[in-house]
Amino acid sequence: MADLFDSPTDSTDGAPRPLADRMRPARLSEVIGQDHLLGPDAPLGTMLASGSLSSLILWGPPGVGKTTIARLLARETDLHFIQISAIFTGVPELRKVFEAARLRRRTGQGTLLFVDEIHRFNKAQQDGFLPHMEDGTIVLVGATTENPSFELNAAVLSRSQVLVLNRLDEEALERMLQRAEVEVGAKLPLTPGAREALVGMADGDGRALLNLVEQVSVWAVSAPLDIDHLTARLTRRAAQYDKSGEAHYNLISALHKSVRGSDPDAALYWLARMLKGGEDPRFLARRVTRMAVEDIGLADPQAQGICLQAWETYERIGSPEGELALAQAVVYLALAPKSNATYAAYKSAMAAATRTGSEPPPKHILNAPTNLMKDQGYGDGYQYDHDAEDAFSGQDYFPESMKRGIYYLPVERGFERELKRRVDYFVKLRAKRGGSE
């Protein structure tokens, strides 16, 4: 039974088709770059071999085959294929889809409902799929470029298997390029270097590569084009970057861990990726300063100041010149001695404060501005450190009922080596003067 959402046939359509559409694989074995999902022992290969297809969430970047795989899964399992987009579909349209699937099921025909950009449905709309997934009316295959754990309902995820599609690497894109040359009937008029640059312009996106191939294949040139001539004719594809999405968090994590790992080259690369993607340099200045405090700390007390200076420099001169100051700070942090001793000490002290939050300070370190407080023993026995030998009394400043805590454990790196020497000195002096350890 046909319905509003059935795909039209192509038999009567004589209009030209884009190269990407003409090259859409006819079998799952022809899909490039996703062998980890489609092999005999891989998730989809296993499902197809058993003849049982469960609901799926296909998570991956654009142009890696999500729609194609969904179509071919329907074909290989004899399910009726329906495709909708969360961008253009509302509740009334969804009701029609579910009703048509119910009617189809009565005749023995199952339905694979492919939902592109499924993360764009709100939580209530996502809940609407659940009863139809549970009673077998539809096999849901959702496609998303966003992390499903952030964007999809837990109930939908619990009833689906999440499969991660890989960004196409250079080898996969080269294979796709070779297939495209067979389809257009000629090799592209490019030097080896320009051919490699064309693959790089696709940035892991197969559809983007085929669109570029379609442009290049019609150029009338007398000799193969080199990189300069190619880039003069083509605009490089913008890198995938969402300032509020997962890429934002992934790249700042990569920058932070590269700094922590003392790799200035990797740190500069991730900084450049974020700036190139349009990230706010002020956000980067704030996070870089956080790195100085968290991962370098007192091993290099200058690190925090250098970050603040870089931040101020950016504020004064703006982009793009001010971004160089951020790069300079990133290099300094990557090469600075590392210590998270203060960070760890702070967390330990916070945990202790949570456990003992009502314990009062010892009376000997409390001021006694009133006679009543003096009568209560406030300030009794306090020793003024400047009057003691070496300006150190060795008194205990923790609550009287609390065992002395040790939180700050400086490392033997950078300036913190000197601080460790000082800590050890006071520990010995406190023991000598009878203070509690």
Side-chain angles (χ1 to χ4, degrees):
M1 175 180 176
D3 63 55
L4 177 64
F5 295 92
D6 284 342
S7 302
T9 61
D10 296 326
S11 57
T12 59
D13 185 1
R17 295 165 58 204
L19 178 62
D21 187 47
R22 301 202 309 270
M23 288 192 58
R24 199 180 287 275
R27 293 181 296 277
L28 283 170
S29 60
E30 297 176 4
V31 174
I32 292 175
Q34 309 302 337
D35 294 343
H36 65 294
L37 299 179
L38 299 169
D41 297 323
L44 290 179
T46 304
M47 285 187 197
L48 292 174
S50 67
S52 175
L53 184 64
S54 66
S55 290
L56 305 168
I57 302 297
L58 304 180
W59 173 29
V64 297
K66 296 187 290 294
T67 303
T68 295
I69 288 174
R71 285 181 179 275
L72 296 177
L73 286 174
R75 181 178 301 176
E76 298 204 14
T77 54
D78 294 324
L79 294 173
H80 188 84
F81 180 78
I82 298 295
Q83 177 176 350
I84 62 175
S85 171
I87 299 174
F88 303 111
T89 306
V91 172
E93 291 83 5
L94 284 175
R95 289 199 185 103
K96 293 178 182 178
V97 169
F98 297 142
E99 179 59 29
R102 273 193 293 271
L103 294 175
R104 211 177 284 117
R105 189 181 179 207
R106 291 175 188 169
T107 66
Q109 173 76 63
T111 299
L112 187 152
L113 175 60
F114 176 65
V115 183
D116 198 15
E117 304 283 350
I118 190 172
H119 62 275
R120 293 183 181 271
F121 276 133
N122 61 38
K123 303 299 184 183
Q125 290 171 315
Q126 291 178 33
D127 282 340
F129 290 101
L130 299 178
H132 310 289
M133 296 167 66
E134 290 171 347
D135 67 11
T137 299
I138 62 168
V139 173
L140 175 69
V141 178
T144 178
T145 57
E146 300 295 330
N147 190 325
S149 60
F150 296 152
E151 302 295 338
L152 298 185
N153 279 5
V156 172
L157 290 176
S158 71
R159 291 160 176 79
S160 310
Q161 185 169 347
V162 177
L163 302 180
V164 181
L165 280 74
N166 291 334
R167 178 181 183 275
L168 299 183
D169 59 21
E170 291 185 3
E171 180 181 352
L173 290 171
E174 174 59 31
R175 287 171 56 199
M176 187 173 290
L177 176 52
Q178 292 172 9
R179 287 189 189 178
E181 288 176 325
V182 172
E183 177 66 26
V184 300
K187 287 188 69 66
L188 297 184
L190 302 173
T191 65
R195 185 184 184 90
E196 185 177 335
L198 184 73
V199 169
M201 287 180 180
D203 194 23
D205 185 329
R207 187 186 302 107
L209 176 67
L210 295 178
N211 290 339
L212 292 171
V213 169
E214 193 162 28
Q215 294 181 60
V216 176
S217 65
V218 298
W219 290 347
V221 295
S222 57
L225 301 175
D226 59 18
I227 294 177
D228 291 339
H229 286 93
L230 175 69
T231 54
R233 291 176 176 230
L234 287 179
T235 300
R236 185 176 180 88
R237 179 175 176 267
Q240 293 292 325
Y241 186 73
D242 181 355
K243 289 186 287 183
S244 61
E246 191 194 7
H248 166 85
Y249 298 103
N250 286 347
L251 268 61
I252 194 61
S253 176
L255 172 59
H256 194 154
K257 290 180 174 64
S258 299
V259 166
R260 181 182 296 154
S262 301
D263 189 335
D265 297 311
L268 282 173
Y269 171 76
W270 293 115
L271 176 71
R273 279 279 301 273
M274 296 188 80
L275 289 170
K276 195 76 173 175
E279 186 59 76
D280 183 357
R282 293 176 178 85
F283 165 78
L284 291 168
R286 179 171 64 83
R287 288 301 297 262
V288 166
T289 304
R290 163 67 187 263
M291 296 172 202
V293 175
E294 179 179 338
D295 290 295
I296 294 161
L298 294 173
D300 185 346
Q302 295 186 86
Q304 183 178 339
I306 283 175
C307 292
L308 292 173
Q309 291 169 22
W311 194 344
E312 183 179 0
T313 299
Y314 177 80
E315 294 291 357
R316 285 178 177 269
I317 64 178
S319 294
E321 295 87 349
E323 293 164 4
L324 183 58
L326 300 180
Q328 187 169 288
V330 163
V331 170
Y332 187 94
L333 296 189
L335 296 176
K338 304 299 188 296
S339 172
N340 72 339
T342 302
Y343 181 56
Y346 173 73
K347 291 197 294 182
S348 296
M350 288 293 287
T354 300
R355 292 193 305 271
T356 62
S358 60
E359 295 287 349
K363 288 184 178 179
H364 70 269
I365 64 172
L366 298 179
N367 292 329
T370 69
N371 290 331
L372 176 61
M373 296 171 76
K374 289 178 183 177
D375 293 341
Q376 292 294 317
Y378 283 38
D380 284 355
Y382 174 64
Q383 299 175 34
Y384 187 55
D385 286 87
H386 291 288
D387 291 339
E389 185 181 354
D390 300 316
F392 180 73
S393 68
Q395 286 190 301
D396 187 13
Y397 302 103
F398 279 88
E400 293 174 355
S401 61
M402 179 180 170
K403 184 180 178 181
R404 177 178 178 79
I406 300 175
Y407 310 126
Y408 181 53
L409 300 170
V411 300
E412 290 276 6
R413 289 187 293 277
F415 182 70
E416 227 168 32
R417 185 183 292 112
E418 167 63 18
L419 296 180
K420 186 177 188 304
R421 188 185 68 81
R422 298 180 192 181
V423 167
D424 293 342
Y425 169 77
F426 287 118
V427 167
K428 292 178 182 177
L429 204 55
R430 184 178 294 109
K432 180 179 177 181
R433 301 201 175 158
S436 172
E437 287 297 322

